[in-house]
Amino acid sequence: MAPVKKGIIERLNSGEVVIGDGGFVFALEKRGYVKAGPWTPEATVTHPEAVRQLHREFLRSGSNVMQTFTFYASDDKLENRGQNLRITGAQINEAACDLAREVASEGDAMVAGGVCQTPSYLSCKSETDVKAIFKKQLDVFMKKNVDFLIAEYFEHVEEAVWAVEVLKTSGKPVAASMCIGPEGDMHGVSPGDCAVRLVKAGAQIVGVNCHFDPMTCVKAVKMMKEGVEKARLKAHYMVQPLAYHTPDCNCQGFIDLPEFPFALEPRILTRWDMHEYARESYKAGIRFIGGCCGFEPYHIRAIAEELAPERGIVAPASEKHGMWGAGLEMHTKPWVRARARRDYWENIAPASGRPKCPSMSTPEGWGVTKGHADLLQHKEATSSQEMKHVLEMQKKSKSST
């Protein structure tokens, strides 16, 4: 019989570093399996081989967590704004669990079932209605016996708390991760207060994912940690940021950048940036360290390599990657061989190769969030009148900035 794997809380209690995976939504959109806009994960049913392969690449790169590809897999999102997939949320969630479990069994990885924010909450549906959506996904996760649960990508702590309260009924460990920066949630609740509310709701792991770059997210998690400790509560901490530099972002994060989502590539962090991110996260007391949108397997490998001394293991993918560029010693060109050293890559200042482009952008900053008429969602396709309205809003926003 295979040895019983340690659970997430057992690992974190012992001080072990747990490495998450990367951004399935963006990675699979680039590969042609996810549509930008709805960002829904029907690929678990229509193209399971693509999802399985990405799981395997993250596992090989050092991930301990195979997170089910269930981002935006709630029925209200699958039916939003004219989308007609003819595939149910239950089908997508079940397939995602099976794929994650299959790959997790190939290594020392756990399966995490994930839920995220809903169109119903943005449309001001009741707590009962929103919780019912989370419960439908939880029912599948319980049927498939995932190892733990993650409530992630929440802009509003109120909805995140509702998600945690539902997930906590499972008896399984619960992590809660908000897509916020140091300014707090979209209604101005500070990171520290968000964390306290999530811990009191039953989350054993709290943190931040998406919307901001690694160092901004680490700063926000530090604020969460301070809030939890000030309240004399206990929790473990997680961080799964973007793989994009976002020094110019406002409270809403990268979705306010004019480059979102199709022109973000110049902002991608290098593998060497990821070494710094991993080290700063560890120094901050964060032990669940992963990635979100923009993260590819080589980014996760860099985290695993930076923290290999603490973890005591090296990821299989490092067989094809000499530490700090050591493999370049085998290069045919002598000037490239000269780059096979740590101090070269630690001090590199990468150029963008775009002489006519600015180093930073001006976020659009519409200031629209839950409770605003423009965020009311519906099953019908976006109408021409609605498009005319948003284009007028865009013009007004640009003129004001």
Side-chain angles (χ1 to χ4, degrees):
M1 291 181 63
V4 177
K5 295 177 183 177
K6 293 190 292 184
I8 182 68
I9 300 301
E10 185 181 0
R11 295 178 192 231
L12 294 174
N13 281 344
S14 68
E16 183 177 331
V17 176
V18 172
I19 296 182
D21 54 13
F24 270 66
V25 172
F26 269 46
L28 288 173
E29 190 277 331
K30 288 180 172 65
R31 289 159 169 79
Y33 300 105
V34 166
K35 180 185 285 188
W39 304 109
T40 47
E42 61 273 10
T44 61
V45 175
T46 61
H47 295 91
E49 72 287 350
V51 179
R52 182 186 295 111
Q53 176 62 22
L54 191 54
H55 275 308
R56 283 202 174 116
E57 290 179 21
F58 281 121
L59 180 72
R60 178 173 164 78
S61 296
S63 294
N64 295 117
V65 177
M66 298 293 101
Q67 194 167 328
T68 59
F69 185 34
T70 50
F71 179 83
Y72 278 162
S74 58
D75 285 329
D76 62 337
K77 180 62 177 175
L78 296 171
E79 299 171 349
N80 196 45
R81 294 197 173 274
Q83 181 153 244
N84 184 21
L85 297 174
R86 303 182 188 278
I87 302 172
T88 67
Q91 289 175 300
I92 292 172
N93 283 280
E94 288 198 16
C97 289
D98 290 341
L99 290 166
R101 179 62 70 191
E102 177 187 348
V103 178
S105 68
E106 298 171 5
D108 183 31
M110 300 164 285
V111 175
V115 302
C116 65
Q117 66 182 13
T118 64
S120 292
Y121 181 81
L122 291 179
S123 299
C124 301
K125 294 289 181 67
S126 70
E127 178 180 348
T128 300
D129 289 340
V130 174
K131 283 186 170 181
I133 292 168
F134 297 138
K135 180 62 165 59
K136 287 181 73 173
Q137 286 189 272
L138 176 60
D139 288 343
V140 174
F141 298 147
M142 293 302 290
K143 175 183 176 182
K144 295 295 183 177
N145 194 29
V146 300
D147 299 310
F148 70 103
L149 300 157
I150 301 178
E152 69 166 3
Y153 196 78
F154 286 90
E155 297 174 308
H156 304 88
V157 69
E158 179 181 54
E159 187 183 18
V161 165
W162 293 352
V164 170
E165 288 173 347
V166 172
L167 299 183
K168 195 63 183 174
T169 63
S170 68
K172 293 181 179 290
V174 176
S177 184
M178 298 189 65
C179 50
I180 63 173
E183 294 181 49
D185 85 346
M186 293 305 296
H187 283 152
V189 182
S190 72
D193 287 343
C194 285
V196 168
R197 290 175 63 172
L198 292 169
V199 172
K200 287 183 175 179
Q204 294 147 287
I205 309 164
V206 294
V208 167
N209 79 292
C210 207
H211 275 206
F212 297 93
D213 61 42
M215 294 311 175
T216 303
C217 287
V218 169
K219 180 179 179 180
V221 177
K222 285 181 180 179
M223 296 169 72
M224 286 184 155
K225 189 170 183 284
E226 290 171 2
V228 170
E229 290 173 352
K230 185 177 179 180
R232 297 186 178 181
L233 299 171
K234 290 185 178 181
H236 294 290
Y237 300 94
M238 67 183 295
V239 61
Q240 301 205 100
L242 298 175
Y244 303 108
H245 291 285
T246 61
D248 40 358
C249 279
N250 55 24
C251 181
Q252 183 72 74
F254 82 141
I255 61 175
D256 265 11
L257 292 174
E259 301 98 316
F260 176 87
F262 297 130
L264 289 164
E265 283 80 1
R267 294 173 175 264
I268 293 176
L269 276 76
T270 69
R271 65 194 69 194
W272 316 116
D273 293 326
M274 293 301 174
H275 276 263
E276 182 182 6
Y277 153 58
R279 183 54 55 193
E280 289 303 310
S281 297
Y282 188 86
K283 285 163 60 178
I286 303 168
R287 293 295 180 268
F288 185 161
I289 305 169
C292 200
C293 298
F295 267 74
E296 292 283 346
Y298 74 94
H299 289 125
I300 294 297
R301 181 180 62 188
I303 295 172
E305 288 181 347
E306 175 63 30
L307 298 175
E310 286 80 8
R311 300 177 75 221
I313 53 174
V314 176
S318 291
E319 296 171 5
K320 296 294 184 179
H321 185 250
M323 287 291 285
W324 295 102
L328 297 180
E329 293 177 358
M330 303 171 69
H331 202 279
T332 56
K333 304 297 189 291
W335 58 90
V336 178
R337 292 199 296 273
R339 299 170 190 162
R341 65 187 198 277
R342 178 171 182 162
D343 64 314
Y344 179 88
W345 294 112
E346 275 192 321
N347 294 297
I348 191 77
S352 71
R354 298 174 180 268
K356 296 183 179 180
C357 290
S359 60
M360 292 195 287
S361 299
T362 301
E364 295 197 9
W366 287 20
V368 174
T369 190
K370 188 241 183 179
H372 193 286
D374 287 344
L375 274 187
L376 294 177
Q377 305 297 311
H378 48 70
K379 290 185 179 181
E380 299 76 28
T382 301
S383 67
S384 58
Q385 189 62 33
E386 285 179 306
M387 282 305 302
K388 181 180 178 181
H389 171 68
V390 296
L391 291 174
E392 289 172 352
M393 290 284 288
Q394 184 185 60
K395 184 177 179 180
K396 185 183 298 185
S397 173
K398 287 184 176 180
S399 64
S400 66
T401 56

